[in-house]
Amino acid sequence: MTNYLSDPVLLIVGTLLGFLKYMMIFRLLFEVARVNFYNPLCQAVVKITKPIISPFSFISLRFGGIDLGIVLLIIFIIGLEITFPYFFQNVDLNITHILILSFGLFLKTVLNIFFWLIIIGAIASWFFIYNNNPLFSLINELCDPLYQPIRSLLPSMSGIDFSPIILLLLIQLTEMLVVRPIFGLIHYF
């Protein structure tokens, strides 16, 4: 495929795969956090992802509260996102490298989502509109299970909540100590 046609195709397919990746990750996070599925944003994500997940629903791969089928589907989508630009070129792709990169990018994306949700939630908590907006209530439902263990360890600070700051530090440490070594596994395969 020439550059004239390949660039727009890569842009469109990359955008669609990226959108699908985020929708599937949010669907997984909604199920793990057991958010209110009557929230309109949650219903929109479920409606978008249901046609993709329903063909795989006959296989029940649950581990704790995590649907491993959705995780595998997300890793597959990320693998497609990585390899699609090389489909039209004569490039040898190592499936092990693609799987390692896909899993690492999955973890990195989840950590980045939580990083930004915490920042948006912290900033939005300063404003009154935060209480009535479905987006902010969804952010609160996703982040509260992560805040609770930290809040139980911290002493009461007269209305100041330091749990978002500590959680942001823990997310950064997890990315440095867990995700980077996963990417480093490529050198061994």
Side-chain angles (χ1 to χ4, degrees), residues 3-178:
N3 282 341
Y4 180 75
L5 291 177
S6 65
D7 289 345
V9 169
L10 289 175
L11 175 69
I12 292 169
V13 172
T15 303
L16 289 175
L17 287 172
F19 176 76
L20 185 60
K21 170 183 70 174
Y22 279 103
M23 289 297 108
M24 297 298 289
I25 289 174
F26 277 116
R27 171 76 181 253
L28 177 69
L29 295 178
F30 293 166
E31 288 184 12
V32 170
R34 294 187 177 122
V35 299
N36 179 9
F37 279 94
Y38 292 109
N39 186 312
L41 296 171
C42 189
Q43 287 181 353
V45 170
V46 169
K47 284 180 185 177
I48 290 170
T49 58
K50 188 174 182 177
I52 300 157
I53 293 174
S54 60
F56 302 103
S57 63
F58 67 91
I59 302 172
S60 179
L61 297 172
R62 297 200 75 79
F63 181 74
I66 299 173
D67 188 354
L68 294 178
I70 295 176
V71 172
L72 293 174
L73 196 54
I74 293 167
I75 290 172
F76 177 75
I77 291 168
I78 294 172
L80 278 178
E81 194 176 27
I82 292 169
T83 59
F84 186 75
Y86 304 106
F87 281 164
F88 306 108
Q89 300 173 5
N90 191 13
V91 176
D92 290 331
L93 299 172
N94 185 336
I95 190 72
T96 309
H97 290 178
I98 294 168
L99 288 174
I100 292 170
L101 282 173
S102 297
F103 183 69
L105 285 173
F106 165 66
L107 292 178
K108 185 176 171 106
T109 304
V110 169
L111 290 173
N112 283 337
I113 286 171
F114 274 114
F115 183 86
W116 289 107
L117 287 178
I118 291 165
I119 289 177
I120 292 168
I123 292 171
S125 69
W126 300 338
F127 304 103
F128 182 70
I129 195 168
Y130 176 76
N131 296 329
N132 299 328
N133 194 310
L135 172 66
F136 298 125
S137 64
L138 190 60
I139 289 173
N140 200 24
E141 286 183 76
L142 284 170
C143 293
D144 259 353
L146 300 175
Y147 292 149
Q148 290 308 322
I150 297 169
R151 287 178 180 154
S152 68
L153 294 174
L154 291 177
S156 179
M157 299 283 192
S158 67
I160 299 173
D161 188 11
F162 288 105
S163 57
I165 296 169
I166 293 172
L167 193 56
L168 289 174
L169 276 170
L170 290 173
I171 287 172
Q172 292 299 315
L173 284 173
T174 305
E175 189 170 332
M176 289 177 203
L177 299 174
V178 176

